[in-house]
Amino acid sequence: MEPREVTPFIAIGVSKQDIREQIWDYMESQNLADFPRPVHHRIPNFKGSYVACQNIKDLEAFARTQEVKVDPDKPLEGVRLLALQSKKTLLVPTPRLRTGLFNKIIPPPGATKDVLRRCATSEGVRNYSAPVGLDSRVLVDLVVVGSVAVSEKGWRIGKGEGYADLEYAMMVSMGAVGPGTPVVTIVHDCQVVNIPETLLEDHDLTVDYILTPTRVITTGCERPKPTGITWSKDFTSVIGKCLKAFSSAMISWEMLGKIPILRSLRCREEQAGKDVTLRDEPRHLLATPSIVRKPRGPPLPELGSGQVEDVPSNTVYVGNLPRDARVSELKTALGVLGAAPLRLTWQGPQRRAFLHYRDAASAQRALFCLQGFHLGANALKVARARQQRTSDLVGGRAEEPHPDHRPSVADP
């Protein structure tokens, strides 16, 4: 089927959402869609996606890549499998960035083809992966993203939530990709349409190659890709699409609570001297460590009788740990968020831990980064550890952080 069959509806004044709806409706009405259905509000899976994925083997960029980032969308499953079969390092973004940025897929030793197929699915992200944090030395050679629509000029429209754009901007900020890193998308032929340039924004990710079941398109796109996160803009235009909330200020602050690793990156960029002020952000929510508000909640539990002492202000209390949580799981999560302490006091039976940082400013930045973080299904309670007995802190089991999770905060 020629892609021009769906181009007539692209008209002056059309919006990105108009294009999405037309593509989704067309794929459903023509029975081009594949599981999961309906494809509305998704990166659509389509019949022939596996054939389209095989075309990536014709790209020199894929042949020479060592580390490839592939989105978790269903139609990209074939590329994830090819990457594993080719023994390339496969990075898959954490869905909606809830627990981190990437997961590195690690097949078990001697994995059969069937096992590799499972590793390439959403099951693989859950069961055969390790988190990759901001401290990890990641150098991505190739980026593969899903699309709802794309033009032969390389202009792309996603499903409207902005995660692909945000992930790319975060990769730029952490040095994982550069201007020459190629970006590939895989779509059905009917998804290749004319997209008015007036719809494009600075944060929109463009693509260099388009793979369909019948074609390999080199776009030759010269439009610059995102150069990192512009906090004053990205939070209200990109993140705003994710939340569909009422005010831009609430949008940015709410998303910081939903994406801890983004909050951690914001802390780092602030320490590096970058302007991370969010557009229309209320003054009392500015990201200065000294004015971050403590989360509301019950006071820390009393731990027995005796005189109460203040502990050093460089200690952070972490409560509501899952009953079956292990200290290694908390260490890993802290490392991913860039909030690893100098020392960790583990009190598993009480479902809490104390994180000891270099100084008060480091503890305050960690507290900010941990707001809203979940370990398993539990939302962790975090606060400065005040009015706790020193004897209670030392009564737990002190654990030194793993060498891979050394403290990453800078001296203030």
Side-chain angles (χ1 to χ4, degrees), residues 19-20 23-28 32-49 73-76 146-149 156-159 185-188 190-191:
I19 296 175
R20 294 185 188 104
I23 293 289
W24 289 327
D25 290 346
Y26 185 88
M27 296 184 76
E28 285 291 348
L32 302 174
D34 209 343
F35 174 84
R37 297 178 71 172
V39 295
H40 293 78
H41 310 293
R42 306 178 190 271
I43 298 296
N45 192 21
F46 56 90
K47 295 175 181 177
S49 63
D73 307 305
K74 182 66 174 178
L76 308 183
S147 301
V148 173
R156 171 190 172 275
I157 295 177
K159 61 186 176 182
T185 193
I186 296 171
V187 295
H188 191 275
C190 75
Q191 294 172 260

Side-chain angles (χ1 to χ4, degrees), residues 48-59:
S49 63
Y50 184 80
V51 174
C53 288
Q54 297 303 303
N55 288 333
I56 202 168
K57 294 186 292 186
D58 296 334
L59 298 182

Side-chain angles (χ1 to χ4, degrees), residues 73-216:
D73 307 305
K74 182 66 174 178
L76 308 183
E77 195 171 291
V79 172
R80 295 194 293 271
L81 177 58
L82 283 172
L84 293 174
Q85 290 175 332
S86 303
K87 301 188 183 303
K88 301 180 187 296
T89 299
L90 174 60
L91 302 176
V92 180
T94 302
R96 299 183 180 272
L97 303 178
R98 282 187 293 261
T99 58
L101 180 56
F102 295 131
N103 288 282
K104 179 181 178 181
I105 307 302
I106 306 175
T112 64
K113 188 172 182 179
D114 286 341
V115 172
L116 290 180
R117 285 186 183 279
R118 289 201 298 273
C119 290
T121 66
S122 57
E123 177 188 349
V125 178
R126 293 192 303 268
N127 300 329
Y128 299 98
S129 68
V132 176
L134 294 176
D135 289 331
S136 302
R137 295 181 179 179
V138 174
L139 186 59
V140 175
D141 304 309
L142 184 67
V143 174
V144 184
V145 298
S147 301
V148 173
V150 65
S151 77
E152 292 189 14
K153 294 181 179 181
W155 302 339
R156 171 190 172 275
I157 295 177
K159 61 186 176 182
E161 295 185 340
Y163 284 102
D165 304 324
L166 179 59
E167 290 160 6
Y168 186 88
M170 292 179 69
M171 287 192 292
V172 172
S173 295
M174 63 187 291
V177 296
T181 306
V183 178
V184 179
T185 193
I186 296 171
V187 295
H188 191 275
D189 287 288
C190 75
Q191 294 172 260
V192 183
V193 298
N194 296 323
I195 298 176
E197 186 173 7
T198 54
L199 295 181
L200 300 186
E201 300 179 75
D202 292 342
H203 62 255
D204 285 333
L205 180 62
T206 57
V207 304
D208 303 292
Y209 299 96
I210 303 168
L211 309 182
T212 79
T214 65
R215 293 194 291 170
V216 175

Side-chain angles (χ1 to χ4, degrees), residues 299-304 316-323 325-327 330 344-355 375 380-381 385 388-389 391-393 395-397:
L300 300 184
E302 291 293 334
L303 302 179
V316 173
Y317 162 85
V318 178
N320 197 37
L321 293 167
R323 296 187 183 279
R326 298 183 178 182
V327 64
L330 180 58
L344 186 155
T345 301
W346 179 254
Q347 296 182 351
Q350 289 79 32
R351 300 174 61 191
R352 66 186 173 215
F354 294 91
L355 314 179
L375 190 65
L380 300 186
K381 297 179 180 179
Q388 297 295 299
R389 293 168 189 75
S391 59
D392 286 320
L393 292 181
R397 177 160 55 92

